[in-house]
C-alpha cells in the first residue's frame, strides 16, 4: 500500500516580493540552470509554479483553480511519473491527459476534505472532457511560462494537442452590439484609485474593443506585440496575429480601436505612436514595474470582470436579457459576436473565413444566423407580405 503522505500539501501560494521560499519536499530540490540568462529566480518546480500563478492578475477563484490543477499535476509528476518538470517529455504529458480521464481509486474521495486532512484526495471522480481540457490548459500554461522565463530548456507541452470537446454546429454564444457597447462603456467609466487601476481601465477597454472588432482568439491577441499594429498607408491599419498552426493573419483595425490602443499606451508611459520593430508585448500587466506580458488566464479574467460589471448595470436598467448574456460571456464570445454580426450585415463568408482563420468555410457558415426575435419578425413579415399580395 502506498504511503498516505503522497498527497501532502504543496505550497502554491503566490509570494510577495522579498519573501523567502522554504523547502518542503522533493519538488523543492534545487535544479541546475538550463538557461544562461534566465529571467526568473525560481530554482525548483514548486517555485516556478508559485511564480506562474502569481504572475497573472487573477481573481481569488482563478488562483484557487490554478492551484488545484497544478497541485494535481505536480503530485502526479512526483508520485506517478517520478520526474521533475525538466525531465518530462511529450509521452508523459499525453499520459497525464489520459490519467485525468480515469484517476486511480486511491486518488479519489467523494468527500472534499481540506488539503491539510490526511483523507484529502485530489479528485472526486473521473474528469469530463471539458474539465480535462481546462486542466491541460493550466499545465501547458505553466510549462510555457517555465520555458519563456528560462527555467526550462524546452517545452514538451507545445507538442501536446488540446483535449477535444464537442462543438455545437450552430454558434449561439454571442453578444448583441448593444451588450458589447454597454460593456465598453461600463469599463470606460471606472473610477481609478491608483495609477495601476488607471492602466487596467485603459488596457481592459482596449481589449474589449480589440476582441470585438478583430475577432481574434484570446491567445492570438495576448501573444502579439505593440509593433504588430501598423499602417501601410492610405489610412488602413492592421493587426498581425499568429493563428492556429502558426498561420499568420492580418486583421483590419478600425479608428476607435486605434484610439483605444494609443490611449492605453499612454497610461503605461509609452508614446501613443509605435513602430513595426516594437517588440513590447501588446497586452501588458499592470502589476509589474517591468514590462511584462499579461497571461492568457489574466486577460480572460479581465474580460469576464468587465462583463460582470456591465451585467450589473444592465440589470439595474431593466435589461434582463442583456444582463443574462453578459453574466455568461467570455472573451471568446466576442469572437463569435464579431463574426455573427458581420455575417448578418452581409459581409461575404470568404472575407469572414480569412479574417477568422478558419480552415473550412463550413465553420464560418455556422455564424450566419439571426436572433430568435429577428427570425420571428422576418417570418411573420413574410407571411403578412404574402397576405397583402393576395388581397386578404
Amino acid at each position: 500500500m502506498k504511503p498516505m503522505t503522497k498527497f501532502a500539501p504543496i505550497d502554491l501560494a503566490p509570494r510577495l516580493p522579498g519573501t523567502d521560499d522554504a523547502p518542503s519536499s522533493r519538488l523543492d530540490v534545487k535544479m541546475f540552470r538550463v538557461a544562461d540568462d534566465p529571467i526568473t529566480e525560481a530554482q525548483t518546480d514548486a517555485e516556478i509554479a508559485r511564480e506562474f500563478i502569481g504572475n497573472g492578475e487573477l481573481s481569488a477563484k482563478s488562483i484557487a483553480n490554478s492551484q488545484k490543477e497544478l497541485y494535481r499535476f505536480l503530485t502526479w509528476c512526483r508520485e506517478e511519473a517520478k520526474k521533475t518538470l525538466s525531465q518530462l517529455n511529450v509521452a508523459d504529458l499525453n499520459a497525464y491527459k489520459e490519467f485525468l480521464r480515469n484517476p486511480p481509486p486511491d486518488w479519489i474521495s467523494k468527500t472534499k476534505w481540506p488539503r491539510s486532512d490526511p483523507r484529502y484526495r485530489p479528485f472526486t471522480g473521473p474528469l469530463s472532457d471539458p474539465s480535462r481540457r481546462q486542466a491541460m490548459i493550466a499545465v501547458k500554461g505553466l510549462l510555457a511560462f517555465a520555458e519563456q522565463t528560462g527555467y526550462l530548456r524546452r517545452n514538451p507541452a507545445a507538442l501536446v494537442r488540446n483535449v477535444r470537446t464537442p462543438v455545437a454546429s450552430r454558434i449561439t454564444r454571442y453578444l448583441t452590439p448593444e451588450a458589447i457597447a454597454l460593456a465598453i462603456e461600463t469599463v470606460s467609466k471606472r473610477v481609478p484609485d491608483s495609477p495601476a487601476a488607471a492602466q487596467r481601465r485603459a488596457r481592459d477597454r482596449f481589449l474589449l474593443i480589440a476582441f470585438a472588432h478583430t475577432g481574434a482568439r484570446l491567445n492570438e491577441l495576448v501573444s502579439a506585440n505593440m509593433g504588430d499594429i501598423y499602417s501601410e498607408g492610405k489610412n488602413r491599419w492592421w493587426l498581425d496575429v499568429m493563428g492556429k498552426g502558426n498561420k499568420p493573419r492580418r486583421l483590419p483595425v478600425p479608428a476607435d480601436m486605434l484610439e483605444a490602443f494609443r490611449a492605453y499606451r499612454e497610461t503605461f508611459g509609452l508614446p501613443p505612436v509605435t513602430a513595426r520593430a516594437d517588440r513590447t508585448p501588446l497586452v501588458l500587466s499592470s502589476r509589474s514595474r517591468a514590462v511584462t506580458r499579461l497571461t492568457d488566464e489574466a486577460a480572460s479574467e479581465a474580460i469576464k470582470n468587465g462583463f460582470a460589471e456591465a451585467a450589473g448595470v444592465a440589470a439595474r436598467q431593466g435589461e434582463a436579457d442583456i444582463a443574462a448574456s453578459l453574466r455568461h460571456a467570455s472573451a471568446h464570445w466576442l469572437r463569435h459576436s464579431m463574426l455573427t454580426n458581420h455575417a448578418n450585415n452581409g459581409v461575404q463568408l470568404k472575407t469572414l473565413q480569412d479574417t477568422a482563420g478558419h480552415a473550412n468555410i463550413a465553420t464560418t457558415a455556422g455564424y450566419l444566423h439571426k436572433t430568435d426575435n429577428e427570425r420571428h419578425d422576418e417570418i411573420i413579415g413574410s407571411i403578412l407580405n404574402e397576405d397583402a399580395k393576395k388581397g386578404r
Side-chain angles (χ1 to χ4, degrees):
M1 181 176 180
K2 294 182 180 180
M4 304 308 287
T5 54
K6 69 185 291 184
F7 302 118
I10 300 173
D11 182 6
L12 295 179
R15 291 292 189 264
L16 295 174
T19 304
D20 292 331
D21 282 304
S24 62
S25 70
R26 192 163 66 86
L27 288 169
D28 290 287
V29 174
K30 301 294 182 184
M31 66 174 286
F32 60 87
R33 288 292 190 190
V34 298
D36 294 333
D37 55 346
I39 55 174
T40 175
E41 295 299 319
Q43 296 184 29
T44 69
D45 291 352
E47 287 178 11
I48 195 65
R50 285 194 287 268
E51 186 174 325
F52 168 68
I53 294 171
N55 185 66
E57 297 175 5
L58 304 179
S59 67
K61 181 179 180 181
S62 293
I63 288 176
N65 285 336
S66 297
Q67 290 171 331
K68 175 187 69 176
E69 297 299 352
L70 296 184
Y71 171 82
R72 289 170 169 173
F73 177 60
L74 293 176
T75 301
W76 177 87
C77 289
R78 182 187 64 209
E79 300 295 333
E80 303 293 334
K82 301 190 183 304
K83 293 183 177 182
T84 63
L85 295 185
S86 64
Q87 297 170 322
L88 294 174
N89 56 39
V90 174
D92 293 326
L93 295 174
N94 280 323
Y96 180 65
K97 191 163 61 171
E98 290 305 307
F99 176 87
L100 296 172
R101 189 194 300 274
N102 190 23
D106 62 337
W107 281 68
I108 295 173
S109 172
K110 296 298 182 182
T111 302
K112 294 185 177 181
W113 303 106
R115 293 194 183 183
S116 58
D117 193 301
R119 294 169 292 181
Y120 169 79
R121 296 294 180 269
F123 298 93
T124 58
L127 297 190
S128 65
D129 285 345
S131 294
R132 290 171 62 231
R133 179 183 177 86
Q134 289 304 117
M136 290 305 297
I137 286 174
V139 169
K140 295 178 78 170
L142 168 63
L143 295 178
F145 179 80
E147 181 192 34
Q148 292 164 4
T149 57
Y151 180 80
L152 294 181
R153 182 181 294 113
R154 80 288 187 274
N155 173 20
L159 301 176
V160 176
R161 292 181 177 273
N162 289 328
V163 176
R164 298 181 66 89
T165 55
V167 178
S169 59
R170 182 176 183 266
I171 305 301
T172 56
R173 297 177 297 169
Y174 70 101
L175 296 169
T176 64
E178 293 78 16
I180 296 172
L182 179 61
I184 295 171
E185 179 185 3
T186 301
V187 169
S188 301
K189 289 182 177 179
R190 287 176 181 167
V191 180
D193 56 4
S194 67
Q199 290 175 339
R200 285 193 293 275
R201 177 181 65 181
R203 182 201 63 203
D204 294 353
R205 177 174 180 268
F206 166 70
L207 279 176
L208 283 168
I209 293 173
F211 280 123
H213 279 316
T214 66
R217 299 179 180 93
L218 180 69
N219 179 259
E220 292 173 348
L221 203 62
V222 173
S223 299
N225 296 319
M226 293 283 187
D228 291 330
I229 292 182
Y230 63 94
S231 174
E232 293 180 340
K234 296 185 178 180
N235 206 30
R236 288 194 181 98
W237 287 82
W238 300 93
L239 166 64
D240 282 351
V241 297
M242 188 62 67
K244 290 183 176 179
N246 290 326
K247 294 180 180 178
R249 295 203 316 284
R250 292 208 308 170
L251 307 176
V253 174
D256 60 338
M257 177 176 162
L258 187 61
E259 176 274 325
F261 172 63
R262 289 171 171 170
Y264 150 57
R265 281 177 56 86
E266 288 183 317
T267 64
F268 277 82
L270 301 171
V273 179
T274 186
R276 288 295 301 273
D278 188 349
R279 309 313 294 167
T280 304
L282 180 60
V283 187
L284 294 169
S285 170
S286 64
R287 292 189 177 180
S288 174
R289 293 183 179 179
V291 174
T292 305
R293 188 184 303 276
L294 199 66
T295 64
D296 290 1
E297 293 83 1
S300 175
E301 192 73 16
I303 294 295
K304 288 182 179 179
N305 288 340
F307 286 151
E309 294 171 29
V313 174
R316 290 191 292 273
Q317 293 176 348
E319 298 286 353
D321 290 343
I322 290 179
S325 62
L326 285 168
R327 288 192 190 99
H328 292 92
S330 65
H332 207 67
W333 282 43
L334 290 174
R335 174 174 168 84
H336 294 172
S337 304
M338 175 267 192
L339 295 171
T340 295
N341 292 329
H342 282 314
N344 288 340
N345 287 338
V347 176
Q348 294 183 4
L349 284 184
K350 184 63 173 67
T351 298
L352 293 179
Q353 179 190 11
D354 292 343
T355 301
H358 289 151
N360 192 327
I361 200 168
T363 303
T364 315
Y367 293 88
L368 185 56
H369 68 278
K370 297 182 180 292
T371 67
D372 289 340
N373 289 341
E374 291 171 328
R375 190 164 50 83
H376 175 277
D377 293 348
E378 191 169 318
I379 293 296
I380 297 301
S382 176
I383 293 172
L384 293 176
N385 286 336
E386 285 297 315
D387 288 347
K389 289 178 183 178
K390 295 176 181 178
R392 293 180 183 174

